[in-house]
Each structure stands twice: as structure tokens, then as C-alpha cells.
Amino acid sequence: MFNHLHNHTEYSLLDGAAKVDELVNRAKELGQTALAITDHRNMFGCISFYKACKAAGIKPIIGSEFNIVNSFEEKSRGHHLVLLAKNEEGYKNLCKLTTIANKLGFYYVPRIDKEALQKCCKGLVCLSACIQGEIPDLLLNAKDKEAKEVTKWYKGLFGDDFYLEVQDHGIPSEKVSNIGIGRLSKMYDIKIVCTNDCHYVKKEDAKAQEILLCLQTKKKLSDEDRFKFATDEFYLKSEDEMLELFPKEYLENTAEVVSKCNFEYEFGITRLPYYEVPANYQSHEAYLKELCKKGIARRYATITPEIQQRYEYELSVINKMGYTDYFLIVWDFINWAKSNGIPIGPGRGSGAGSIVAYAIGITNIDPLKYNLYFERFLNPERVSMPDFDIDMDVERREEVVNYVKQKYGILHVSQILTFGKLKARAAIRDTARVLDLSKALADNLCKLIGKSETIKQALEDSKQLAEYYDKDEKIKNLLDYSMKIEGLIKNTSAHA
């Protein structure tokens, strides 16, 4: 009957303390049949969340909690709004809105505006969000007329896919807002769903989330002016716990939302941009073969049977696996860069094992001379997307990126994100700072981690660390909290 539709995972950076696997496992323990991901202003965790839910037999609902303003001209962070994907069109609109928020609407945080939402509203379910949503905020400020107008606007945009959202974490303002939400529901015939705005898995994890917030705001737990949640009720509650707070109807409405949301990822399908070959070539395969033959003649003074067999075999594998366009695209931008005097590296990784790549100039390493195996790069028995590691002049790298965007379209080009996670020592040091414990103590404990990969493993490997943990309550608390945040994401950066 009830399903959680508003949840923040570890991908709500330094705010969500719920690790994806732990959140999904807890949902399964509670008998949940579906679960949503609604991280703040990003979709970083959607695929790992989706896979974890599928493995647990839970229906994944993909979404995000956005910050929205009336217009990008506003100098404010805006209000919260939860959007969930009903289908592929809705998922694509989530992606578009996330891009707009980061590229066009950034003001302290990524934001969308109502014009963008109007353009990208199809295929989405909309929830009015927590008390930081626009409608609850207007109600709490006694702006009933404006609240009605905003409610009608969302109803007009989403129709029956707009739901008013209520929460109860024991915060007085929520109870005031919920009364107003009830009035609007009756006035405009809009269904209400209850959510719990989960930021951690279990109630006892509340302190770990406080520590994360301190890391985000560079505060200590002892600081009276630090930002913190008002209660410890922001966890994944059971259906019975939610029934104690809300009418049964509100819980049943969450199941209605779940029934509408049926987006499925398609894995194992490679979608590459189209490479346009010269008109005098009948196919992409013919063009790649011609480039390869010319390159082989240029690279080798004598074309031996070994060379002939190697490049013909590689071409057959490349064509059979559907990566002809991939080779042509990589060749194209490398050839353009070299033609424009941009230094390119000789090639790294398994791609250096391809004689075709060597022939057409993607790499500059002879795989036969160094006995490198093509199968490490492409293997018909182990289908995976090939990956050339290309080094180029850092000062002119952007020129190459811009060339690729112009030729293949900006929608076909993106950079790769990498996540910086809190490893064992970093978790101990950061937690010690937040708890206002000495740096010397943290350093001493970090030394005892040794070669162990996790704090839990270190407690098994180091007798001295285990003794400290068992005998010193201060150290036990430090390590317990450190283990809670260990492995969570601290920051992001561009990988490539």
C-alpha cells in the first residue's frame, strides 16, 4: 500500500547519509515493493539505485528534487519540487532539467525555472515537496491567495499527475502546512501523498547525517549556530509508522503514483553518434578498411602475412561488434587535432593493442613489435564498450572538445564525472574534527588502520585499535560515527 517517494541517498552530497545498498535492503526488510530516489538537484545515483532495486525485487522509481524559481532573474535558491519519471520521455525530461539547472540556472545551487518546467513537463509526476516547497512556504507565510494561484498553475501543467505532499517529522510548521494542504486538496480536487523526506536509513543514523552536514558547512557539533535537522525522524519508516501519522488514503495514493511510474533502463545497447563517410564510399566499413589499408602501407615497409591477417581479423571483429563508427569518430577528432598542431599522446591502455588503431593514427605504438594483444581491447566473447585513453595538450584540449560538439552535436558529447569518497582515514579525521577531538588522536588512530581497507577490517586486524575501541568510549563513538560515513561521497570532479 505505502511506498516511499521522497528519498535522499549518499548522492545528495554531504546531506544524504543513506548508502544505496543499505537503503534498498532496508526497504526490502520493511516489505516495500517500490522505492524512489530523489536526490538534491542531480541524478548521479540513479543507475546504481536502479540496479540495486532490481536485484532486491523492488520497483525503482527514478526522480530528483529540484530547486525551482519563477525566473532565472531571481536572486534566490528558490523552492523545492519533486519530479518522478513515468516513462522514457519523463526520464529524458529529468535529464534535460538537470542540465538546464546546472548550465543556465546556477545561483549558489543548480535551479530550474517555471519556463523550463513548462517545456519539459511531459512524462513526469510532480510532488509539491517538503515545507521548503513553494506551496507550503506560501501557506506558512499566510499567503493563501498566492498558494491557491501556484496550486492551480501546477494542476494546470501536470493535471492528475500533480500531487500535494505532506510530511510529519514532529516539526510544528509541518502540521500548520498540512492543514493548508488539506484545504487546497479539497478545493482543487488534488490527491495528497505522504512522504518522509528520508536522509538516512534508520533512526539511529541521525547523528551520522548531522556529521555530514557539519562537513558540508564546515562546522562542529558543538557549534550552536550550525545547520541541522529539527528532529531525528528523517529515516525510512515502516508502513505502520506512517499510518500512525497520516490517513490511510494518503498512503494508498503513493501506490497510485508507483503504478504510473514505469521507466526502465535499457542496458547493453550502444548508441553512438553517426559518422558521415564521404559520398564515394558505399559503407562505413568500406571507409574504415580503406583508411586502414593506407595506414598499414604507411606504417610498414613490407606487409607480411602476419600483418595482413592481424588487421583483417581486427576489422572483422570491429565491424561484427558494431564499433566501426566508434573507430571513425575517434580517428576523426585525433586527425583534426594533429592537423591543427595539437599534441596528442601515443596511446595508453588496452587500445594500444590494436593494429587498426595504429594504422589509422589513433595510437602511435606498434602492437606487433611489443607483442600486444588486441583481445584485451575488443573481445567478441566478452562484449564491452571499447575505450581509448587519449592524452592531449591540456592548454588546447578544449578546442578538440568544441570540435566534437560542433560536428556531432552537443547532445552527443559529455564529460565523465568521478566521485571522491570518504575512505577510512579521511572519515576518522573528518569525524574527529566535527566532534572537536584532537588532531593527534585522529592521527594516532589513522596510523593503526595500517593496510586495512576499512575501519571494520582494521578493528579485526589491529589488536591495539580493537583495545582502544573496547575500553575508551570516546574512541568507540568516534570510530562508530566514522564507520557510518565511511564510503560516502564527499565531492565530485571531472574525470575526463
Side-chain angles (χ1 to χ4, degrees):
M1 176 174 68
F2 172 73
N3 297 281
H4 282 281
L5 300 178
H6 190 154
N7 307 297
H8 298 277
T9 73
E10 59 200 286
Y11 291 93
S12 287
L13 307 189
L14 298 182
D15 185 11
K19 295 174 184 175
V20 167
D21 288 342
E22 293 177 5
L23 184 72
V24 172
N25 289 338
R26 180 58 177 162
K28 187 175 183 180
E29 288 174 7
L30 294 173
Q32 299 280 303
T33 56
L35 189 68
I37 181 171
T38 56
D39 282 313
H40 286 303
R41 303 172 291 273
N42 74 64
M43 298 174 67
F44 298 154
C46 289
I47 291 178
S48 59
F49 173 82
Y50 178 92
K51 289 180 175 179
C53 284
K54 286 292 187 180
I58 290 173
K59 182 178 180 178
I61 310 298
I62 303 302
S64 183
E65 184 172 28
F66 289 87
N67 282 50
I68 185 167
V69 289
N70 290 314
S71 164
F72 286 143
E73 302 301 317
E74 287 183 28
K75 300 301 180 185
S76 75
R77 295 172 184 249
H79 294 95
H80 290 190
L81 190 74
V82 174
L83 298 173
L84 306 172
K86 295 171 62 180
N87 47 38
E88 185 175 353
E89 183 179 26
Y91 177 76
K92 288 180 177 178
N93 278 329
L94 283 179
C95 294
K96 289 177 184 176
L97 289 167
T98 303
T99 300
I100 289 168
N102 282 275
K103 289 285 189 180
L104 302 177
F106 199 96
Y107 181 79
Y108 289 97
V109 295
R111 309 170 305 164
I112 58 172
D113 67 357
K114 289 186 176 177
E115 181 182 351
L117 185 61
Q118 283 178 301
K119 292 177 180 178
C120 304
C121 64
K122 291 183 179 179
L124 295 172
V125 169
C126 177
L127 312 184
S128 60
C130 57
I131 53 173
Q132 292 186 60
E134 185 176 12
I135 294 170
D137 184 47
L138 290 170
L139 291 170
L140 290 171
N141 285 282
K143 296 181 178 180
D144 289 8
K145 182 180 178 181
E146 291 89 339
K148 291 175 185 176
E149 292 301 318
V150 172
T151 301
K152 286 192 290 184
W153 187 85
Y154 279 108
K155 172 74 171 178
L157 188 62
F158 290 98
D160 290 339
D161 289 330
F162 175 59
Y163 292 81
L164 291 164
E165 183 176 351
V166 293
Q167 300 177 355
D168 188 349
H169 303 97
I171 302 170
S173 56
E174 289 178 330
K175 297 186 185 298
V176 174
S177 169
N178 291 348
I179 293 170
I181 291 288
R183 289 198 301 267
L184 292 172
S185 169
K186 292 176 182 177
M187 195 175 299
Y188 299 108
D189 192 26
I190 301 170
K191 292 182 179 179
I192 295 175
V193 294
C194 55
T195 69
N196 204 51
D197 199 4
C198 304
H199 281 70
Y200 38 91
V201 179
K202 296 181 179 180
K203 189 168 186 172
E204 55 265 33
D205 298 332
K207 186 67 73 174
Q209 198 255 351
E210 282 194 62
I211 290 171
L212 279 185
L213 291 176
C214 285
L215 293 183
Q216 181 194 138
T217 56
K218 296 179 173 55
K219 295 286 187 177
K220 296 176 181 178
L221 280 179
S222 57
D223 292 337
E224 293 183 3
D225 63 340
R226 66 182 172 89
F227 171 69
K228 61 181 178 180
F229 284 19
T231 70
D232 58 359
E233 297 292 326
F234 292 79
Y235 63 95
L236 201 74
K237 292 183 176 179
S238 68
E239 183 175 294
D240 287 342
E241 287 176 296
M242 296 299 284
L243 267 173
E244 291 177 5
L245 298 170
F246 302 104
K248 185 179 179 181
E249 176 191 352
Y250 295 1
L251 279 73
E252 290 174 340
N253 288 339
T254 65
E256 179 178 292
V257 173
V258 167
S259 70
K260 292 181 176 183
C261 296
N262 298 293
F263 169 71
E264 298 277 344
Y265 282 106
E266 285 186 307
F267 297 116
I269 299 174
T270 303
R271 294 180 174 88
L272 291 171
Y274 179 81
Y275 180 83
E276 189 170 346
V277 300
N280 55 322
Y281 288 90
Q282 292 184 343
S283 67
H284 293 69
E285 290 79 7
Y287 186 52
L288 179 60
K289 185 175 183 179
E290 181 69 14
L291 288 174
C292 187
K293 286 174 69 176
K294 289 180 179 179
I296 290 290
R298 187 173 61 253
R299 292 288 196 181
Y300 298 99
T302 303
I303 302 175
T304 65
E306 179 188 15
I307 294 171
Q308 181 90 15
Q309 290 172 6
R310 174 68 173 259
Y311 88 74
E312 287 182 351
Y313 165 71
E314 286 193 17
L315 282 173
S316 70
V317 173
I318 292 165
N319 294 334
K320 183 180 178 182
M321 295 183 72
Y323 295 130
T324 308
D325 275 32
Y326 175 72
F327 271 74
L328 290 173
I329 290 166
V330 177
W331 164 79
D332 173 51
F333 72 74
I334 287 179
N335 183 57
W336 181 88
K338 289 178 177 178
S339 299
N340 285 273
I342 300 174
I344 299 292
R348 290 186 292 111
S350 60
S354 169
I355 198 171
V356 171
Y358 176 57
I360 66 178
I362 291 176
T363 63
N364 201 31
I365 299 169
D366 183 352
L368 299 182
K369 179 180 178 180
Y370 296 102
N371 198 29
L372 302 177
Y373 295 102
F374 174 68
E375 288 77 13
R376 286 193 61 222
F377 182 61
L378 268 186
N379 189 331
E381 296 179 2
R382 181 173 49 83
V383 179
S384 60
M385 183 72 189
D387 178 22
F388 282 113
D389 293 313
I390 309 296
D391 295 308
M392 59 185 68
D393 181 4
V394 66
E395 292 183 358
R396 301 189 64 189
R397 181 177 182 274
E398 199 63 26
E399 293 178 45
V400 183
V401 173
N402 288 335
Y403 167 77
V404 176
K405 286 179 180 178
Q406 290 165 10
K407 180 155 186 175
Y408 300 100
I410 194 168
L411 295 179
H412 294 117
V413 182
S414 66
Q415 291 185 279
I416 301 169
L417 194 73
T418 184
F419 299 105
K421 294 192 172 184
L422 284 163
K423 294 186 177 181
R425 290 177 179 82
I428 290 171
R429 288 194 170 98
D430 282 345
T431 304
R433 182 191 63 76
V434 170
L435 296 177
D436 208 10
L437 298 175
S438 71
K439 183 177 181 298
L441 173 63
D443 289 343
N444 186 38
L445 294 175
C446 287
K447 288 175 184 176
L448 296 175
I449 294 293
K451 295 182 179 179
S452 303
E453 292 188 2
T454 65
I455 299 170
K456 183 179 179 181
Q457 184 63 48
L459 286 168
E460 296 175 6
D461 296 341
S462 172
K463 184 178 179 181
Q464 187 177 0
L465 185 64
E467 286 179 358
Y468 284 155
Y469 180 84
D470 291 334
K471 295 178 180 179
D472 191 320
E473 188 67 23
K474 180 173 63 177
I475 291 176
K476 182 180 186 302
N477 285 336
L478 169 58
L479 294 179
D480 281 343
Y481 291 140
S482 298
M483 283 189 279
K484 288 286 187 183
I485 71 168
E486 182 183 11
L488 293 176
I489 299 164
K490 188 174 183 179
N491 53 44
T492 63
S493 58
H495 172 68

